[in-house]
Amino acid sequence: MADCIFCKIANKEIPAQILYEDDKTMVFKDLEPKAPIHYLIIPKQHFDNVTNVPAGNDIISHIFTVAIKMAVKEGVSDEGFRIVNNTGALGGQSVNHLHFHFLAGRQMKWPPG
Ligand code: AMP
């Protein structure tokens, strides 16, 4: 997608602090971290949000596999972490390229605002 900021990060057209990538996904630091560890996990392929992922596509399960890999890498798999997906306007999504927030390093609260 021409004007998509996360597509540009995935294509390395604009910089990001990339922590992990494979053929399908990329993990980079959120510009405005909401926790000591705040990463974004994105598919390299553009989907506006979870509702656009075709049935049978395994990208969501792959993203969760990557998230768990990051938890182990960061040493937070035992103490805990949070994975967040915001979908659409009421869901609080501000970038229309599917992404999951990976947050760790502090006590999370419930419910989120
Ligand atoms: P959401 O509000 O769920 O759509 O999350 C979008 C997230 O992307 C926010 O937490 C932003 O801080 C983050 N963000 C926006 N632009 C960039 C960027 N260029 N590099 C890293 N994070 C970004």
Side-chain angles (χ1 to χ4, degrees):
M1 283 268 289
D3 283 333
C4 172
I5 192 151
F6 286 179
C7 282
K8 286 182 179 162
I9 289 174
N11 293 327
K12 298 188 178 155
E13 291 165 15
I14 62 167
Q17 292 190 62
I18 299 166
L19 301 157
Y20 171 88
E21 73 176 301
D22 58 31
D23 56 332
K24 292 183 194 164
T25 62
M26 184 178 271
V27 181
F28 52 91
K29 289 189 182 180
D30 196 293
L31 266 187
E32 294 179 31
K34 304 294 188 289
I37 295 171
H38 186 174
Y39 303 156
L40 297 172
I41 308 172
I42 66 163
K44 288 183 173 176
Q45 183 180 354
H46 184 92
F47 300 100
D48 280 355
N49 61 49
V50 280
T51 69
N52 303 115
V53 177
N57 187 311
D58 72 349
I59 191 63
I60 305 294
S61 63
H62 184 69
I63 283 172
F64 272 75
T65 301
V66 170
I68 292 159
K69 222 178 256 193
M70 297 310 295
V72 171
K73 193 173 166 193
E74 295 297 340
V76 299
S77 51
D78 288 338
E79 67 185 33
F81 54 89
R82 181 172 284 177
I83 297 168
V84 174
N85 170 252
N86 299 321
T87 301
L90 285 189
Q93 183 177 8
S94 63
V95 176
N96 290 324
H97 179 122
L98 175 63
H99 56 278
F100 286 74
H101 299 257
F102 178 89
L103 301 136
R106 68 164 169 83
Q107 179 62 56
M108 301 297 159
K109 297 182 181 134
W110 190 263

